[in-house]
Structures are given as C-alpha cells and as structure tokens.
Amino acid sequence: MDSNKQLGMRIKYLRTLRKWSQEDLALEADVNKNYISDLERGSRNPTVKVLEKIAKALQISLSELFKGIQTF
C-alpha cells in the first residue's frame, strides 16, 4: 500500500477516535472538507503545511501522525 493511502487511513483512524466527522476535522484544521475526504482516500499528496494543520487540530505531533506508516 502506498504512503498516501496509509496516511489517509491514519488520519481517518485518528479522526474517528475523537468521534469527529470529516467536516469537524476540516473546521478545526482550517482546510476544505473535500480535501480531508481526498486525503483519507489517499488521492492527495498533502503539503507539510496542511499536515501540520491536521496534526495541530488532532492535538498530536507530526511524528505521531506518521506513526506506523511504512515506505518502501
């Protein structure tokens, strides 16, 4: 599985732990809801800036956001 799909699954997992909708995360991270949807499907290649916003919204570090993601 590619890293974008793994990252998307990780974001979705962390979001659902908080019982947040995609819209909730989008509002907290100040990004578009459709962008969150695309990220979770692995169809976006996010910038570090966007990932920082998502991590901050989830109240975790960037390294925690990438925990468990493997690259080859």
Side-chain angles (χ1 to χ4, degrees):
M1 183 181 309
D2 77 14
S3 56
N4 281 345
K5 286 194 185 291
Q6 291 179 66
L7 179 60
M9 290 173 60
R10 178 77 174 146
I11 291 169
K12 183 176 182 176
Y13 170 75
L14 294 166
R15 174 180 62 76
T16 57
L17 280 180
R18 287 156 181 76
K19 298 183 168 92
W20 284 358
S21 66
Q22 289 179 343
E23 187 170 3
D24 293 332
L25 178 55
L27 288 170
E28 290 293 322
D30 193 29
V31 297
N32 187 285
K33 181 180 88 66
N34 294 331
Y35 194 90
I36 297 294
S37 176
D38 291 345
L39 279 177
E40 290 185 358
R41 285 194 321 272
S43 62
R44 287 278 184 153
N45 191 14
T47 64
V48 173
K49 190 71 168 170
V50 168
L51 294 175
E52 287 175 336
K53 288 178 160 189
I54 290 170
K56 184 176 179 182
L58 293 168
Q59 299 177 342
I60 59 173
S61 66
L62 267 178
S63 61
E64 183 67 22
L65 184 63
F66 284 95
K67 188 175 180 180
I69 294 174
Q70 298 178 1
T71 59
F72 300 95

